[in-house]
Amino acid sequence: MTPTTHQFAPFWMIDLQDQYAVDTITIHLGKSIVDAPGTMTLELCVFTHIGQPVDAISGSLPPKGQNFVVGPPADGTRTLECAVRAVGRFVRVQLSGSWGQLAFDEVEILAAPVFGASLQETYTTAFHLFKRKPLFGRREALAGGGFGRYEWVTYGHVWQRIRNFGAGLA
């Protein structure tokens, strides 16, 4: 990849052209980054759309998704691997909070499409991707007129209920 110019908090942004469930991002660093003096911190952000202008002071995009911070490779190699597990269309890799030049040999993104050919396929993908995340929540009405805390049911629990219901129909 072509290196950025020497600037404050340089970044590369990759457009995946559609929504994907991004599992892992592997960055093969250019020699100039590995050999640079000081500590290097990269910020990875997976987000769904560009909805706000670039921050004029830092040059960075406001996060619209999940951020992940990775430091220099501990084993002396030039490869960083980050388990992301986030959904989005855009991936931004940014040299966080310092002046420098950003150069990669390669960026690999392991991802799967979020939307399937049918509604059933889309639901199946969502239930497997987010099995530990909350899907449905409810709150009980309290005697004093307010509401209690949310009690959540995860995607995994809903998927198991669907399978149990289907087994009962068979």
Side-chain angles (χ1 to χ4, degrees):
M1 295 179 97
T2 305
T4 64
T5 59
H6 186 78
Q7 58 187 315
F8 183 76
F11 68 92
W12 277 102
M13 188 156 38
I14 301 151
D15 183 353
L16 302 175
Q17 301 294 316
D18 203 350
Q19 297 291 324
Y20 282 88
V22 178
D23 184 64
T24 307
I25 298 175
T26 304
I27 301 170
H28 301 277
L29 300 169
K31 188 166 172 38
S32 61
I33 288 185
V34 177
D35 295 340
T39 304
M40 171 212 55
T41 304
L42 289 177
E43 179 181 324
L44 305 177
C45 183
V46 178
F47 52 103
T48 56
H49 66 282
I50 302 173
Q52 296 179 353
V54 172
D55 184 329
I57 296 170
S58 69
S60 65
L61 291 165
K64 284 289 189 191
Q66 294 179 304
N67 290 319
F68 306 89
V69 176
V70 293
D75 57 3
T77 66
R78 292 174 34 199
T79 302
L80 288 172
E81 187 169 311
C82 184
V84 176
R85 294 183 183 83
V87 174
R89 174 178 170 171
F90 299 96
V91 175
R92 185 187 74 220
V93 182
Q94 181 172 9
L95 187 59
S96 183
S98 63
W99 285 87
Q101 185 179 32
L102 200 53
F104 308 120
D105 289 341
E106 184 178 11
V107 175
E108 296 176 58
I109 301 171
L110 179 61
V114 175
F115 302 108
S118 67
L119 190 57
Q120 172 66 31
E121 207 173 289
T122 301
Y123 282 146
T124 302
T125 301
F127 285 123
H128 289 294
L129 288 173
F130 309 116
K131 60 182 151 197
R132 291 184 185 89
K133 294 192 181 230
L135 176 60
F136 297 120
R138 69 180 197 98
R139 300 181 347 177
E140 288 190 36
L142 300 175
F147 291 96
R149 295 174 53 120
Y150 274 100
E151 294 177 23
W152 292 98
V153 178
T154 65
Y155 277 85
H157 288 118
V158 172
W159 180 249
Q160 189 59 49
R161 288 179 184 175
I162 290 169
R163 291 179 48 88
N164 289 347
F165 183 77
L169 294 176

